[in-house]
Amino acid sequence: MGSRSSFSMKPIENGEIDLEGGKSGKDTDKSVRSNRVKIHNQALLSGLAYCISSCSMILVNKFVLSSYDFNAGISLMLYQNFISVIIVSILSTTGIISTEPLTWRLIKVWFPVNMIFVGMLVTSMFSLRYINVAMVTVLKNVTNVITAVGEMYLFNKHHDSRVWAALFLMIISAISGGITDLSFHAVGYAWQIINCFLTASYSLTLRRVMDTAKQVTKSGNLNEFSMVLLNNTLSIPLGILLVFIFNEVDYLSRTPLLKLPMFWLVMTLSGFLGLAISFTSMWFLHQTGATTYSLVGSLNKIPLSVAGIVLFHVPTSLENSASIFFGLLAGVFFARAKIREKSQS
């Protein structure tokens, strides 16, 4: 295939016959245009799938935790991860995807970062129960600030002035948003701040752990499907332990929600959406690139915030709405600044 590609790069004049492909120059032009359209459509489709799944996941979680008043966020996370393990295992067994076998050496290397991963998911559930979706998206910007500072001190990575300006705007928007939040809840904000630190820690340690983990795998590689299976499988025993620590067993034995078929349907849907985010993000990243992925992820927060305010009838004011919009724009500016910084370096 490589030699065929190198030969096909030779320009073909109109009317000249491509002896290798058996096509005329006009047919080749049509084929190139057709391939470009297919690639463009794949990028749009994957980007749309990623945006829908990521927005839906947060909204469904908010619906389960707030509208149903389900006070067992760890159990919800545990159920979602259990569904992911089952689906990925089935796909791997049938040969649709390939995953690395979970050896003890791999588990020992990955377990520390998995503890951060579980903490990140649990604190996200706790904060989402008390804070509206729009403010959660704005407060998540604090993660970028912590990550940037961590990169500077841990990896001696320096950012340009545009990046720091965007980070400063994020801090201002988070503070002003919290002050003007009509549904402010101190417990929810505390959980979200912890979530920001855990999320930043996860992103800072993941790359180093991935490099170490690759050395103990049989193939010498660790694809995204293997990481999804590894993270979700190891999260199950940790999740069960946390369910007992936070005494969710007593709540689950008393709540009438577990007797409602519709509630189980919504819970299962959230599990499928959680896995869909993993697959669609990998698909979108493969079709486009890291820069487009990060920019779309920032833009995706805008419709998510609007949907969260409208669907859950969140009381808001002009000042709070301005702070939220300001924070979302700061996220977009940050993504663009990171893209420029990467291109210059």
Side-chain angles (χ1 to χ4, degrees):
M1 291 293 290
S3 60
R4 285 175 64 96
S5 299
S6 62
F7 281 121
S8 63
M9 290 180 68
K10 181 176 71 67
I12 302 174
E13 298 297 332
N14 288 336
E16 182 182 347
I17 302 298
D18 177 7
L19 297 178
E20 184 186 12
K23 297 178 181 179
S24 67
K26 293 180 180 179
D27 290 337
T28 303
D29 290 339
K30 290 180 181 178
S31 177
V32 170
R33 285 196 296 269
S34 176
N35 288 335
R36 286 176 179 172
V37 171
K38 287 180 181 178
I39 293 172
H40 183 65
N41 290 340
Q42 285 284 320
L44 285 176
L45 186 61
S46 61
L48 185 63
Y50 166 67
C51 290
I52 292 175
S53 60
S54 60
C55 286
S56 300
M57 176 66 176
I58 295 176
L59 294 175
V60 170
N61 279 346
K62 179 66 176 177
F63 180 72
V64 172
L65 296 169
S66 297
S67 298
Y68 274 109
D69 196 26
F70 185 62
N71 193 21
I74 301 173
S75 300
L76 176 59
M77 179 273 296
L78 186 63
Y79 184 70
Q80 291 171 348
N81 291 2
F82 178 68
I83 290 176
S84 297
V85 170
I86 292 176
I87 296 175
V88 174
S89 299
I90 292 173
L91 294 176
S92 178
T93 304
T94 54
I96 298 175
I97 61 174
S98 62
T99 57
E100 289 291 327
L102 303 184
T103 62
W104 280 112
R105 290 181 64 193
L106 180 58
I107 290 173
K108 284 191 292 185
V109 169
W110 198 265
F111 188 73
V113 75
N114 184 257
M115 293 181 66
I116 302 175
F117 172 76
V118 172
M120 182 178 69
L121 295 182
V122 170
T123 52
S124 176
M125 291 289 187
F126 286 166
S127 66
L128 198 59
R129 173 173 169 78
Y130 299 105
I131 311 177
N132 66 75
V133 174
M135 278 309 304
V136 166
T137 56
V138 172
L139 291 172
K140 279 183 178 294
N141 285 336
V142 177
T143 302
N144 296 324
V145 180
I146 300 171
T147 304
V149 174
E151 288 176 338
M152 186 174 64
Y153 282 101
L154 296 177
F155 305 113
N156 198 27
K157 183 177 180 180
H158 299 283
H159 302 285
D160 61 26
S161 57
R162 284 188 293 264
V163 172
W164 287 114
L167 293 173
F168 178 74
L169 293 177
M170 288 178 180
I171 296 174
I172 297 299
S173 66
I175 295 174
S176 60
I179 293 173
T180 57
D181 187 4
L182 298 180
S183 57
F184 178 86
H185 200 292
V187 174
Y189 272 71
W191 281 119
Q192 185 54 50
I193 294 300
I194 297 173
N195 175 261
C196 290
F197 277 97
L198 289 173
T199 305
S201 301
Y202 183 72
S203 63
L204 290 170
T205 57
L206 183 60
R207 173 55 58 186
R208 184 175 295 176
V209 173
M210 281 177 60
D211 293 337
T212 307
K214 288 178 182 179
Q215 299 173 8
V216 299
T217 57
K218 291 185 177 181
S219 66
N221 194 17
L222 191 68
N223 60 25
E224 290 84 354
F225 298 112
S226 298
M227 285 189 286
V228 170
L229 181 61
L230 190 58
N231 260 335
N232 288 282
T233 302
L234 293 182
S235 69
I236 291 177
L238 280 175
I240 293 174
L241 180 63
L242 290 173
V243 164
F244 283 97
I245 292 175
F246 283 83
N247 197 26
E248 287 190 359
V249 176
D250 182 54
Y251 170 80
L252 293 173
S253 64
R254 291 184 291 102
T255 180
L257 289 173
L258 298 184
K259 298 178 182 179
L260 301 177
M262 184 56 68
F263 178 73
W264 280 104
L265 181 63
V266 175
M267 286 245 294
T268 305
L269 174 63
S270 69
F272 276 96
L273 287 172
L275 186 59
I277 292 176
S278 301
F279 286 128
T280 56
S281 61
M282 286 185 283
W283 181 26
F284 184 43
L285 193 60
H286 177 71
Q287 293 295 327
T288 54
T291 53
T292 305
Y293 177 82
S294 62
L295 187 58
V296 170
S298 298
L299 292 170
N300 193 37
K301 292 179 180 178
I302 297 176
L304 173 62
S305 300
V306 175
I309 292 174
V310 174
L311 292 176
F312 297 102
H313 309 289
V314 177
T316 185
S317 63
L318 180 62
E319 294 83 1
N320 186 245
S321 298
S323 299
I324 293 171
F325 184 69
F326 186 68
L328 296 173
L329 284 182
V332 176
F333 291 151
F334 173 76
R336 288 179 59 87
K338 289 288 287 184
I339 291 171
R340 290 178 181 176
E341 181 184 65
K342 186 176 180 181
S343 63
Q344 289 175 356
S345 62

